Amino acid sequence: MTFEEVKEKYHLRNNVFPHAAFGVKLLGFVKKLFVTLVILTLLYVGALLFLRPRNNGPQNKEQNITTSKQVSDDQKGILDNIITSLGGDTNKVNTQPSVSKDTQSSSSDTEAHLINFDVRKIVTILLKLAWLFEGFLALAYLSNLLKRQRLYERNVLKNDLQAIKLKKRILKNLKIREQKNSIESRINKRDKRLKNSKDADRSDLGATVEETYTLEALEQMLNITVLVNTRQNSEHMIETIYNILVSPPESTGGQSELEQKWLGKLPDTASKATGYKVYFGEQRSTSEGNYYFQAIGDRINDPYYFGDKIKELQERKESFNYEHTMPYRSIEKDGKTYVGLKDHSAENEKRKREAKRWADNQIDVLNEMLRGNGIKAIFDKNEPQATTAEFYFNIPEEVNVKGIDRAEKMIAEKIDEKLQCNGTTLNLGLNSAFISIPLPNGQGNSADYRQMINNEDVLRRAFG
């Protein structure tokens, strides 16, 4: 199916990416389990190597037996002297039945060996089962990845890893887990103190109403879903979209706590967590009643789409082969030479490439100018025209600039001064910014990137 058919069937939008939330959670679990199993396996192998029996060789064994025998004979002689001095009979003592120490030692060693063997066998089996489970989960994630690619998602694994990392940074910056643990610890200490007190009221055990609402809000923050998805759109552009989804608590008090204390902090915290590569917009709501925040990242032309280029080449070919009433090219006809019109197409293509390269180098300058004047704009694209370079920016938050006309003129003048040009224009919209900058015109030490008028194209459009 084409993208338009898939989009219509699954009702795809910028905040609708089927199977993506499950895929991110599954990959996070696979990643944690893999790290855990690697550590446990290395510890187990190390323990086996450290605890394995050491063989000292035959010579050492014989030497130990001889030494042991000599010590035993000496001890026996001392014991006989003690018994004789006490009036006893050494023969009776020596003839008493006894259990062989070697037999006892051998039996003890056998039991220890059997126990050691059983533990080792059980641990080995458990590790094998854990690795098999890890492999099963990895295959499940691979299936999820393939499903999402069929829905025209791209860079799935890379984006999911980025989403996991981004969520971790957001929770760390907001210190969600630390605050939840602190409240639970305070409740546990208070309960312990009340239980040990005879005069305490048992109804005071547990969390207070305020603490309950706070814990509900913190729990929902811990369970936020962060998604990073790259997908093509109807304009044959590839764009990366960031979404943060938050489910509201069941209680009204918990929902109020979440909205008042945490949701307002999310956009700036998330933008900071990306290194301000993208800016998250204001709070929105899904049709299911969940909250979400969105940011638009990189936006590039689809490198696998050639429809427009093929169409342009076909039109140029048809136009070139069309029979015209007057010669556009240099030809000889009826003994006469017609000079025709000079074709600037090749030169213009070269200048267009150089103008695009020049425009790309100005993106950082324009970003600095806009943000330095309080406009959080994200670069979208640039398009060199015949005499100007046009830049488009997205603004996720509503522009609130006092004296917007004066601000546009002031920033445009600063850009002219910075780039040493004249005639820059800036237009600020609700969620966008448009900047038009004159291309270098060959004056001074600059190159000339302006397009030359191709008379052939003008006449073709006018007369066919």
Side-chain angles (χ1 to χ4, degrees):
M1 291 192 295
T2 64
F3 175 72
E4 291 300 327
E5 292 172 338
V6 170
K7 180 181 179 181
E8 185 69 23
K9 180 178 179 180
Y10 293 97
H11 307 287
L12 302 182
R13 299 188 302 277
N14 277 359
N15 63 336
V16 176
F17 292 88
H19 314 298
F22 175 73
V24 171
K25 291 180 181 178
L26 183 58
L27 180 61
F29 186 76
V30 169
K31 184 181 175 183
K32 290 179 181 177
L33 181 59
F34 177 77
V35 173
T36 302
L37 287 178
V38 168
I39 294 173
L40 290 177
T41 302
L42 291 176
L43 289 174
Y44 177 59
V45 172
L48 290 179
L49 293 175
F50 180 75
L51 297 176
R52 68 178 180 178
R54 291 172 174 77
N55 187 6
N56 294 326
Q59 294 179 356
N60 293 337
K61 186 175 181 181
E62 291 175 0
Q63 183 180 357
N64 291 339
I65 292 173
T66 304
T67 305
S68 177
K69 186 175 181 180
Q70 292 174 355
V71 172
S72 179
D73 291 342
D74 293 340
Q75 291 175 347
K76 182 178 179 183
I78 295 170
L79 184 60
D80 289 344
N81 292 332
I82 295 172
I83 293 173
T84 302
S85 65
L86 295 173
D89 187 352
T90 58
N91 292 326
K92 290 182 181 181
V93 176
N94 292 333
T95 56
Q96 289 180 356
S98 61
V99 179
S100 172
K101 294 182 179 179
D102 293 339
T103 305
Q104 290 179 345
S105 177
S106 175
S107 175
S108 177
D109 290 344
T110 302
E111 291 177 1
H113 176 71
L114 289 174
I115 294 172
N116 183 48
F117 175 76
D118 289 340
V119 172
R120 185 171 59 193
K121 188 175 182 180
I122 291 171
V123 173
T124 302
I125 292 173
L126 290 176
L127 278 176
K128 286 182 178 179
L129 290 175
W131 277 110
L132 284 174
F133 183 61
E134 170 72 4
F136 172 77
L137 292 179
L139 289 175
Y141 176 75
L142 179 61
S143 174
N144 176 273
L145 183 149
L146 294 175
K147 286 181 182 179
R148 292 160 64 184
Q149 284 187 331
R150 292 193 188 101
L151 297 178
Y152 286 84
E153 274 199 62
R154 306 188 184 185
N155 305 328
V156 177
L157 177 59
K158 176 184 175 182
N159 287 342
D160 284 355
L161 290 172
Q162 186 178 356
I164 293 171
K165 186 177 180 180
L166 180 56
K167 177 180 177 179
K168 186 177 179 181
R169 286 182 175 178
I170 292 172
L171 296 181
K172 182 179 179 181
N173 291 344
L174 290 175
K175 298 181 179 180
I176 301 296
R177 199 176 303 278
E178 291 86 341
Q179 295 193 49
K180 183 173 182 291
N181 292 339
S182 175
I183 294 174
E184 290 176 343
S185 176
R186 186 170 67 242
I187 295 171
N188 291 334
K189 289 180 180 179
R190 187 173 63 231
D191 288 351
K192 186 176 180 180
R193 187 174 64 253
L194 290 173
K195 288 178 181 179
N196 293 332
S197 176
K198 295 180 180 180
D199 301 330
D201 188 353
R202 298 293 174 176
S203 62
D204 292 335
L205 292 174
T208 63
V209 175
E210 292 77 8
E211 289 172 338
T212 301
Y213 292 156
T214 302
L215 287 175
E216 287 181 2
L218 290 172
E219 186 65 29
Q220 297 307 108
M221 288 297 296
L222 281 175
N223 293 324
I224 63 173
T225 299
V226 178
L227 301 177
V228 181
N229 305 97
T230 301
R231 188 172 64 194
Q232 73 179 67
N233 59 23
S234 302
E235 301 173 357
H236 305 292
M237 300 289 292
I238 304 298
E239 57 186 3
T240 300
I241 300 173
Y242 297 70
N243 282 295
I244 301 175
L245 308 176
V246 188
S247 300
E250 294 182 359
S251 69
T252 306
Q255 185 174 343
S256 177
E257 175 77 12
L258 178 67
E259 292 177 351
Q260 293 178 10
K261 191 170 182 180
W262 299 110
L263 295 186
K265 299 178 181 179
L266 258 181
D268 188 61
T269 302
S271 301
K272 182 180 179 181
T274 66
Y276 293 107
K277 292 180 180 178
V278 296
Y279 289 90
F280 284 84
E282 296 299 324
Q283 171 187 322
R284 305 181 190 179
S285 297
T286 65
S287 56
E288 294 82 12
N290 297 326
Y291 310 105
Y292 79 96
F293 302 83
Q294 190 173 93
I296 306 298
D298 297 332
R299 199 165 183 260
I300 60 173
N301 292 316
D302 186 353
Y304 303 107
Y305 177 71
F306 304 100
D308 292 341
K309 191 68 175 177
I310 292 173
K311 184 178 179 180
E312 180 185 350
L313 292 173
Q314 289 175 342
E315 291 176 352
R316 288 174 64 91
K317 182 178 179 181
E318 291 174 0
S319 178
F320 181 79
N321 294 330
Y322 187 76
E323 189 69 29
H324 296 278
T325 56
M326 66 173 291
Y328 289 106
R329 303 295 171 87
S330 176
I331 60 172
E332 290 187 4
K333 188 175 182 180
D334 300 332
K336 296 181 180 180
T337 300
Y338 295 89
V339 177
L341 302 174
K342 188 174 182 180
D343 183 15
H344 299 294
S345 298
E347 177 65 21
N348 281 341
E349 281 297 322
K350 178 183 177 182
R351 291 190 177 191
K352 189 175 183 179
R353 288 194 301 270
E354 292 173 345
K356 183 66 169 64
R357 190 179 301 112
W358 179 85
D360 289 341
N361 292 333
Q362 314 311 317
I363 296 172
D364 291 339
V365 176
L366 299 181
N367 272 325
E368 181 182 350
M369 290 290 180
L370 291 173
R371 293 176 187 173
N373 288 275
I375 301 172
K376 296 180 179 179
I378 302 170
F379 173 73
D380 183 6
K381 60 181 179 178
N382 63 57
E383 296 176 352
Q385 302 299 320
T387 59
T388 60
E390 297 180 350
F391 298 81
Y392 298 84
F393 293 80
N394 293 321
I395 303 177
E397 299 179 4
E398 182 179 352
V399 177
N400 185 17
V401 182
K402 294 182 178 180
I404 193 168
D405 295 334
R406 188 169 66 255
E408 289 175 343
K409 184 178 180 181
M410 177 191 68
I411 297 173
E413 290 175 353
K414 287 184 177 180
I415 294 173
D416 276 341
E417 183 180 352
K418 182 74 174 179
L419 300 183
Q420 297 181 356
C421 58
N422 185 25
T424 297
T425 59
L426 166 64
N427 292 313
L428 293 174
L430 184 62
N431 296 109
S432 63
F434 170 76
I435 301 176
S436 177
I437 303 176
L439 288 171
N441 55 10
Q443 297 179 0
N445 296 325
S446 66
D448 191 355
Y449 298 146
R450 297 173 304 173
Q451 300 284 295
M452 292 186 289
I453 296 176
N454 200 351
N455 292 325
E456 178 182 347
D457 292 338
V458 175
L459 293 173
R460 282 182 187 277
R461 286 195 293 268
F463 304 107

